[in-house]
Amino acid sequence: MLAGSLLFSVGLEIFLVPNRIIDGGITGISIILSHLLNVPLGVFLVVLNLPFLLIGYKQIGKTFAISTLFSVVIMSIGTSMMHKVSPITIDPLLAAVFGGIILGIGVGLVIRAGGSLDGTEIVAIVFSKKSPFSVGEIVMFFNFFILSSAGFVFGWDHAMYSLIAYYIAFKMIDITIEGLDQSKSVWIISDEHEKIGDAITYRLGRGVTYLNGEGAFTGDNKKVIFSVITRLEEAKLKSIVDELDPRAFLAIGNIHDVKGGRFKKKDIH
């Protein structure tokens, strides 16, 4: 949380703020208010997030609220300390790209540690329980108005740069949380389940589990192979299945986290 909050501060004060580029959420509102009222950014980051921390404490839990408060305070202190540091670039496109990357990594680290850096996420979680909209849709709704406001305050060019920074940060959050070596779940239904299972074990080094299945239409009993692989092993797995049973049913899905069991890769023979 400490590293993520400080990285976020670097992205704001050394890339985005000097180039009049904003982020979404409470951070974006804080940047706009800081510019209009000439008040240090860190003050708004703390003050505007406090009401949402109270909501988070009641709706999500004490640990989450304390973790978020710690992260927001560190972020506020970091922005205050770096306010007088000269920006690395005055090119708004470079600032949007690299600022978005640093912001996204910072937010991702804080989320992985169990905290948050923006109150709108807390509001979105609460609203999502009482509305048909997802957390992501509610956050995007808020940020549409916040990023649009940047057009009236800083000009529409800067609003478009802000959108670029926000999109890049959004993608980097996913990469930081999930990791570059993203895990994938694999489901295979085949009459050659033993051969495919052995091949996955000895040629990929991954463990497999056989599940009992039954065809709803035919009533035939089937063995279902379940395994977890990495994104880099997906192509090799597909070639193994095509080689041993081209007619096999294969389904692959993303997994955000894997823990326990025997996921550790075995030696390949």
Side-chain angles (χ1 to χ4, degrees):
M1 285 187 287
L2 177 65
S5 301
L6 291 176
L7 274 176
F8 192 88
S9 303
V10 170
L12 282 181
E13 288 291 355
I14 299 183
F15 288 94
L16 299 192
V17 174
N19 290 280
R20 297 186 175 183
I21 299 172
I22 74 169
D23 186 32
I26 298 300
T27 305
I29 297 174
S30 299
I31 294 173
I32 293 174
L33 291 177
S34 175
H35 172 77
L36 293 176
L37 303 177
N38 198 27
V39 175
L41 175 61
V43 174
F44 289 111
L45 289 174
V46 174
V47 171
L48 294 181
N49 273 301
L50 282 178
F52 302 108
L53 284 173
L54 182 60
I55 297 173
Y57 177 81
K58 292 182 177 180
Q59 298 290 331
I60 302 176
K62 179 180 178 180
T63 303
F64 172 81
I66 293 175
S67 300
T68 301
L69 177 61
F70 172 81
S71 302
V72 169
V73 169
I74 295 298
M75 174 179 62
S76 176
I77 295 172
T79 54
S80 300
M81 293 173 60
M82 298 174 193
H83 184 65
K84 295 182 179 180
V85 178
S86 300
I88 292 179
T89 179
I90 56 173
D91 185 315
L93 180 59
L94 290 176
V97 172
F98 287 95
I101 291 173
I102 294 174
L103 250 67
I105 294 174
V107 173
L109 289 174
V110 172
I111 292 175
R112 285 190 67 160
S116 176
L117 283 172
D118 196 283
T120 54
E121 296 171 3
I122 300 173
V123 175
I125 291 172
V126 175
F127 279 156
S128 66
K129 297 177 180 178
K130 301 178 181 179
S131 71
F133 302 105
S134 67
V135 174
E137 289 171 339
I138 295 171
V139 170
M140 287 296 293
F141 179 78
F142 284 141
N143 287 332
F144 172 79
F145 289 101
I146 295 169
L147 293 171
S148 298
S149 301
F152 295 101
V153 178
F154 299 121
W156 293 107
D157 285 352
H158 290 279
M160 288 186 278
Y161 286 127
S162 297
L163 188 60
I164 293 173
Y166 174 74
Y167 177 78
I168 293 173
F170 182 79
K171 300 304 291 185
M172 287 305 301
I173 290 172
D174 286 344
I175 292 174
T176 305
I177 294 174
E178 297 173 6
L180 289 171
D181 200 19
Q182 186 181 28
S183 298
K184 291 179 174 288
S185 61
V186 179
W187 302 81
I188 305 168
I189 302 175
S190 170
D191 292 331
E192 303 293 339
H193 56 272
E194 291 187 1
K195 292 182 180 179
I196 295 175
D198 289 343
I200 293 173
T201 300
Y202 292 103
R203 292 166 61 178
L204 277 184
R206 295 297 179 188
V208 298
T209 298
Y210 294 118
L211 306 174
N212 292 318
E214 181 180 339
F217 182 73
T218 62
D220 294 339
N221 292 323
K222 296 282 187 180
K223 286 289 186 180
V224 180
I225 303 170
F226 174 75
S227 184
V228 176
I229 62 173
T230 66
R231 178 173 56 86
L232 302 178
E233 295 166 336
E234 182 178 348
K236 187 172 181 179
L237 174 90
K238 289 179 178 178
S239 67
I240 289 174
V241 175
D242 286 340
E243 174 190 335
L244 297 177
D245 185 4
R247 300 180 60 186
F249 172 83
L250 171 63
I252 299 176
N254 294 328
I255 297 180
H256 293 292
D257 198 9
V258 177
K259 185 178 181 180
R262 298 181 179 180
F263 180 64
K264 185 177 179 181
K265 190 177 179 71
K266 302 176 184 177
D267 293 333
I268 300 176
H269 299 280

